Amino acid sequence: MTVTPLKFYQVGSFAVGNRLLTDEERSEQSNPNRVNALTSGHRACQGCGEALGARYVLDTAMAATDGKIMAVNATGCLEVFSTPYPETSWRIPWLHSLFGNAAAVASGVATALKAQGKTDIRVIAQGGDGGTVDIGFGPLSGMWERNDDVLYVCYDNEAYMNTGVQRSGATPPAARTNTSHASGPEPGAHFNQGKFLPLIAMAHHIPYVATATVADLHDLEAKVKKAMTFRGARYLHILVPCPLGWGSRSDETIMLSRAAVESGFFPVFEAEHGVMTSSKKIRRRIPVEEYLKPQKRYAHLFGANGRPDIVERLQRIADHNIEQYDLVEKGAEE
Amino acid sequence: MAEKPFAITLDVGSSLANKTGTWRTERPVYVHRLPPCNDACPAGEDVQGWLYKAEEGAYEEAWRRLTVNNPMPAIMGRVCYHPCQTACNRAQVDETVGINSVERFLGDEAIKQGWAFAKPETSTGKRVLVVGSGPSGLSAAYHLARLGHAVTIRESAEQPGGMMRYGIPAYRLPRDIIDAEVQRIVDLGVVIECNAKVTDIPAVFAEGFDAVFLAVGAHLGKRAYIPAGESARILDAVSMLHDTESGEPPMLGKRVIVYGGGNTAMDAARTAKRLGAAEAIVVYRRTRDKAPAHDVEITEALEEGITMHWLSTIKHIDAGAVQIEKMQLDEKGFPQPTGEFDTLEADSVVLALGQDCDLTLIENLPGVVIDDGVVQVADNMMTGYAGVFAAGDMVPGERTVTAGIGGGKLAARHIDAWLRGDAWVHPERPNLASFDRLNTWYYADAEKTQRPRLDAARRADTFDEVVQGLTAENALFEARRCMSCGNCFNCDNCFGVCPDNAVIKKPDGTYEFNLDFCKGCGLCAHECPCGAIDMELELT
């Protein structure tokens, strides 16, 4: 007879909740009284990964700090779709200034709170990949090196989606954007360009750096909670699929996040003081093709005039990630 | 108008004023689909429904949901060939859910705890006679009694149970289990008269019964003409099993040949071993995969040392020896003789070539049509004689205990309707919850719990039960392997993955869509593990 633990639930820890689990074992998102920091009526596209990610992060942070959160937002989709004048979708104190200065404003808010002795109120800065890895990077790097008490969250949808899908420093190689056309011998964004910000954050030796996706809610919530246990600068980088910019179906947002992780193309890990401490293991490994194919931004790689050679190069990136971030359980494969 | 800051002309408002539901071209709808297990159950059990309660450890509630359709789970958990498990979607993930073992656990638990059926609240004043107390008769009696009819069962044998008692050996179905589940039906108010063979149908109506349900089963061993010497010892399997149960086991000798490839053949061979035969050999004209016996029966027989002679027919039987001819399958899969012969030593030959029904009770009843040895019934299961219904092995169809129980249930519904001057119509079946609708990512990896089996060496000479039950812990684990195909099991995924907070979680744990804000992205439907959400086109 196989020996099996009694405490087994049909969906394990993969689903949002389960009636068979205790409240502590369920995610914050399964709580009917969650804050809904980003409430209904926002103008994000159907199936928006960023709207989902923002609610996941802020609801968890609210639960972790007894509701004492202030948010500073960079310009971008998240800001535009949540606050068309005079409406707001935010149910928490929220501040927007400019595209590039979210980290600087957040540093200022944190300093002001400290000056007032209100250190129980915590500050979160958030932005898209454009406002984070490109335009707002100077102030962000400054916030990190000063170790200001701010959790900065980047919702990475891998291009400037709000202004019509232009390439950013976070756009992956071969992806089509409106400034990296799917034509010529090297279609889409160029290889060996762009940057992976979590590693740069780690180079600042800040207390906590982590990556996550909207596909694994339990992992994401655990990381937000953990981030709130630290003082000083923290950085959370969340992959959020964009149906508009990626050319994907609105109902495949979570499936694509999962595929990005399961293929090894997006590594999920955490680091403390510049050293990686853990990585999320791949459960059912898939080739990158399964992640790329449902996205029209990679359509030029497939079909009659496809580019299997480029798919192969992308696969090598995934394979390299698997090795670098230790994404496969030892002894689980091969 | 209050004074506003520079360049501000409007008051701040919430985005809740912006009803994004107008963007929608498709809307999500919660649905209930028919899980494949329920679809495949000949007794019409709501398998997913009772597993749902068992998952919570609410065993009594699970048992009550189960017995809405089938009053004998402890028996079913032992002898059913579980077509539910053959259909189970989980087989495509790892292994099927051990539905049958959980059913048995619930049945045993009910006996242990003494759970009783709720008595009907009203009485219809109608009387129904059930002829035969096999699975079909007991099932019909149970359902009729719950509908408020007064039911009497007449059984020609000494004890109730029919083939469950006189055909299925005790090592598969212990007799105290039959007794307990029959007693529970008696406690519901059903009267069972044993040693009471019914011989005259019109007389029964004259006695005051309003309807008669026939379920006499198939208790006559089929005969085949096989040339045999004067002193050859030939028995039929049905009588052999019956006599063993009655405490008068036949003399078989040291070497026994069983002729046939069905479940009864396996039962006869395994029983022969237990009665002291040193060797029991099954002779069958086709191959193992073409044999009608269920694979598990053949496997268990092989484990107990039964020898199989596939592709063989018996040509001649003499005292002490049997001549067999080797066969080969033609391209259509039919066995053809090869002209090669062999001789096997045997003290006796047991024929297990199928069963016939004893239909003397009705063969002269006006209007009743008998064709190919079985009774013909209308769509409402009534024979040509008004008020006389029939089901089980005596009507055309599958001959298993489960099919018998299903037939009894169906007949009870038709009889109830007929007594009210009405007709029962089968409710429309929901669409199937097929595997492609599941999002199996969300199900944790978990392999099936195996029921411990009595060691083969020990069981070959005892009638002790071969397959043992699950413990409460294992039963809970096994129930929780159910994927709840096509029916919400409250995992909160839809509530969690909606980017627009357009799913409302109600206090009872169920959900509702807030169509004011749902943009129709379809994430909830895509991420629903069990496929309980459909996307439907907006019509306007």
Side-chain angles (χ1 to χ4, degrees):
Chain A
M1 254 190 69
T2 46
V3 181
T4 39
L6 167 63
K7 237 185 170 197
F8 163 77
Y9 298 101
Q10 58 205 148
V11 290
S13 60
F14 300 108
V16 170
N18 189 308
R19 74 187 200 284
L20 303 173
L21 294 170
T22 63
D23 287 349
E24 297 75 53
E25 290 169 299
R26 302 184 199 189
S27 71
E28 176 59 23
Q29 285 301 308
S30 84
N31 178 1
N33 302 314
R34 69 187 187 207
V35 175
N36 279 338
L38 179 68
T39 197
S40 309
H42 63 71
R43 287 154 159 85
C45 302
Q46 289 152 320
C48 175
E50 187 171 34
L52 205 52
R55 191 184 78 221
Y56 286 175
V57 167
L58 291 168
D59 282 2
T60 313
M62 288 289 278
T65 59
D66 204 17
K68 292 177 179 165
I69 290 288
M70 292 174 81
V72 177
N73 219 116
T75 302
C77 278
L78 183 60
E79 170 258 326
V80 168
F81 73 61
S82 65
T83 52
Y85 172 74
E87 286 173 10
T88 177
S89 303
W90 298 104
R91 287 157 52 101
I92 56 169
W94 182 89
L95 176 63
H96 168 245
S97 173
L98 298 173
F99 206 154
N101 67 356
V105 173
S107 290
V109 172
T111 308
L113 287 168
K114 192 177 170 192
Q116 293 174 3
K118 296 175 181 167
T119 49
D120 54 330
I121 299 174
R122 311 297 302 274
V123 181
I124 291 180
Q126 53 184 4
D129 51 294
T132 305
V133 313
D134 297 343
I135 296 174
F137 182 64
L140 179 57
S141 179
M143 184 199 104
W144 285 339
E145 61 89 5
R146 292 187 305 272
N147 200 25
D148 290 330
D149 188 19
V150 174
L151 168 63
Y152 192 104
V153 185
C154 171
Y155 304 104
D156 177 11
N157 56 20
E158 303 187 331
Y160 290 84
M161 301 312 185
N162 179 42
T163 48
V165 196
Q166 291 86 16
R167 178 196 167 274
S168 81
T171 303
R176 175 195 56 80
T177 68
N178 283 324
T179 49
S180 59
H181 291 281
S183 59
E186 296 280 326
H190 291 177
F191 280 82
N192 304 319
Q193 291 186 0
K195 49 186 157 177
F196 188 51
L197 208 55
L199 289 183
I200 299 173
M202 283 165 69
H204 289 71
H205 293 266
I206 56 176
Y208 188 66
V209 173
T211 66
T213 74
V214 288
D216 189 344
L217 181 57
H218 291 266
D219 174 73
L220 171 57
E221 289 192 351
K223 283 168 177 167
V224 173
K225 276 183 208 157
K226 189 166 181 181
M228 299 318 289
T229 64
F230 291 91
R231 290 281 171 174
R234 291 140 289 147
Y235 180 65
L236 194 54
H237 188 102
I238 303 174
L239 182 72
V240 290
C242 170
L244 176 84
W246 294 17
S248 56
R249 287 168 49 119
S250 64
D251 64 352
E252 292 187 337
T253 295
I254 290 175
M255 182 278 281
L256 284 174
S257 307
R258 195 155 51 228
V261 176
E262 294 301 297
S263 63
F265 202 66
F266 183 81
V268 175
F269 63 93
E270 51 186 353
E272 290 176 32
H273 304 287
V275 180
M276 192 174 96
T277 53
S278 78
S279 60
K280 181 175 140 65
K281 305 301 177 212
I282 290 172
R283 181 173 169 226
R284 297 178 186 168
R285 190 170 171 182
I286 54 169
V288 284
E289 192 172 328
E290 276 185 46
Y291 166 60
L292 305 173
K293 238 181 176 169
Q295 307 177 44
K296 289 206 187 78
R297 64 175 172 158
Y298 294 114
H300 54 281
L301 302 183
F302 301 100
N305 300 313
R307 294 292 302 270
D309 56 320
I310 294 179
V311 175
E312 179 54 36
R313 287 175 77 182
L314 293 167
Q315 180 65 52
R316 280 206 294 273
I317 293 176
D319 293 345
H320 178 75
N321 281 344
I322 287 171
E323 202 166 311
Q324 182 178 354
Y325 300 98
D326 191 20
L327 301 179
V328 171
E329 201 78 65
K330 292 282 172 283
E333 286 198 5
E334 272 91 55
Chain B
M1 206 174 87
E3 193 67 27
K4 291 199 165 58
F6 172 72
I8 300 291
T9 56
L10 295 170
D11 287 319
V12 171
S14 164
S15 64
L16 290 173
N18 184 29
K19 301 283 193 282
T20 50
T22 55
W23 302 13
R24 199 172 54 239
T25 56
E26 283 186 310
R27 71 164 64 187
V29 181
Y30 289 108
V31 294
H32 289 282
R33 290 210 163 213
L34 186 64
C37 48
N38 300 19
D39 182 51
C41 180
E45 283 187 23
D46 177 14
V47 178
Q48 179 272 328
W50 59 256
L51 279 173
Y52 179 89
K53 292 319 279 181
E55 287 155 25
E56 297 170 0
Y59 298 131
E60 183 170 352
E61 236 180 300
W63 178 80
R64 293 201 180 277
R65 272 202 194 186
L66 193 167
T67 53
V68 164
N69 292 298
N70 184 343
M72 295 174 277
I75 293 173
M76 296 317 299
R78 287 171 168 82
V79 301
C80 182
Y81 292 104
H82 41 72
C84 51
Q85 292 183 204
T86 308
C88 178
N89 277 334
R90 180 130 204 162
Q92 296 177 57
V93 177
D94 40 37
E95 285 180 276
T96 64
V97 175
I99 298 166
N100 189 244
S101 57
V102 180
E103 178 168 35
R104 169 170 167 180
F105 170 79
L106 292 176
D108 288 354
E109 195 67 9
I111 294 171
K112 212 191 297 172
Q113 308 289 344
W115 296 331
F117 296 130
K119 298 218 173 185
E121 282 167 19
T122 54
S123 163
T124 61
K126 301 282 187 189
R127 293 180 65 204
V128 182
L129 179 74
V130 173
V131 182
S133 66
S136 204
L138 286 169
S139 164
Y142 163 79
H143 286 286
L144 287 165
R146 291 199 86 167
L147 289 164
H149 305 294
V151 186
T152 301
I153 301 179
R154 285 188 188 154
E155 167 59 55
S156 64
E158 246 173 77
Q159 291 186 71
M163 269 299 181
M164 297 189 292
R165 187 183 298 273
Y166 294 105
I168 299 174
Y171 59 83
R172 280 177 58 202
L173 180 54
R175 295 337 189 205
D176 55 335
I177 297 295
I178 304 179
D179 294 341
E181 297 217 308
V182 169
Q183 187 57 46
R184 200 161 46 215
I185 294 172
V186 170
D187 293 342
L188 184 62
V190 172
V191 177
I192 303 182
E193 299 169 4
C194 287
N195 294 315
K197 193 172 168 73
V198 177
T199 52
D200 186 349
I201 296 288
V204 166
F205 282 100
E207 249 183 87
F209 286 102
D210 299 289
V212 175
F213 174 62
L214 302 173
V216 300
H219 290 258
L220 304 176
K222 264 202 178 103
R223 290 285 175 173
Y225 175 73
I226 299 170
E230 291 272 318
S231 54
R233 180 151 174 72
I234 305 174
L235 308 85
D236 78 84
V238 184
S239 312
M240 172 204 163
L241 293 168
H242 183 278
D243 293 347
T244 305
E245 178 56 27
S246 308
E248 294 160 3
M251 302 295 289
L252 296 168
K254 282 284 153 202
R255 286 174 61 93
V256 180
I257 286 183
V258 177
Y259 193 25
N263 292 318
T264 308
M266 301 304 146
D267 284 344
R270 295 170 72 183
T271 298
K273 268 261 176 176
R274 284 168 172 77
L275 292 175
E279 207 171 336
I281 301 159
V282 170
V283 174
Y284 179 60
R285 66 197 162 93
R286 296 191 292 177
T287 52
R288 172 172 176 164
D289 53 317
K290 293 238 190 300
H294 291 96
D295 201 55
V296 56
E297 295 274 322
I298 298 175
T299 304
E300 286 184 4
L302 286 169
E303 284 170 4
E304 290 175 15
I306 312 286
T307 322
M308 305 284 172
H309 272 262
W310 305 116
L311 287 169
S312 307
T313 53
I314 295 182
K315 298 309 284 182
H316 196 274
I317 305 172
D318 271 314
V322 170
Q323 190 186 40
I324 58 170
E325 179 173 4
K326 296 230 171 84
M327 308 295 278
Q328 62 186 24
L329 295 184
D330 61 21
E331 59 275 15
K332 284 181 186 152
F334 291 112
Q336 301 297 346
T338 59
E340 278 180 62
F341 296 91
D342 202 354
T343 303
L344 298 174
E345 283 177 49
D347 298 314
S348 57
V349 174
V350 179
L351 302 180
L353 303 167
Q355 284 114 269
D356 286 326
C357 307
D358 179 359
L359 299 175
T360 45
L361 171 61
I362 46 164
E363 62 193 2
N364 294 320
L365 212 54
V368 171
V369 180
I370 294 171
D371 188 16
D372 201 18
V374 285
V375 183
Q376 302 302 304
V377 288
D379 287 344
N380 72 345
M381 303 183 84
M382 191 157 79
T383 65
Y385 191 92
V388 175
F389 296 74
D393 288 355
M394 65 186 292
V395 303
E398 191 195 338
R399 286 181 171 179
T400 63
V401 177
T402 324
I405 288 175
K409 177 176 90 169
L410 210 54
R413 288 176 174 169
H414 285 301
I415 293 169
D416 174 63
W418 183 81
L419 286 171
R420 288 184 281 104
D422 200 358
W424 184 77
V425 183
H426 197 292
E428 206 181 315
R429 288 168 92 79
N431 291 326
L432 196 67
S434 48
F435 183 77
D436 58 317
R437 288 180 55 88
L438 304 179
N439 189 336
T440 60
W441 171 265
Y442 291 102
Y443 298 105
D445 310 303
E447 284 169 8
K448 183 159 77 176
T449 321
Q450 298 290 336
R451 282 184 273 190
R453 280 194 285 168
L454 210 59
D455 183 56
R458 220 190 95 209
R459 74 193 194 216
D461 58 355
T462 145
F463 280 90
D464 287 352
E465 192 166 18
V466 170
V467 182
Q468 305 293 309
L470 293 181
T471 63
E473 284 185 14
N474 288 340
L476 190 65
F477 173 84
E478 199 53 42
R480 287 177 174 182
R481 293 185 65 246
C482 172
M483 303 195 292
S484 198
C485 305
N487 293 275
C488 174
F489 59 102
N490 316 88
C491 76
D492 293 337
N493 258 17
C494 52
F495 179 63
V497 303
C498 177
D500 296 288
N501 312 335
V503 178
I504 299 161
K505 184 174 171 181
K506 297 193 283 188
D508 66 354
T510 62
Y511 315 95
E512 201 174 85
F513 292 110
N514 183 348
L515 294 175
D516 279 350
F517 296 107
C518 168
K519 294 171 184 162
C521 70
L523 265 176
C524 53
H526 196 282
E527 298 306 315
C528 175
C530 65
I533 302 174
D534 276 353
M535 294 302 291
E536 289 181 0
L537 267 184
E538 289 286 351
L539 293 176
T540 49

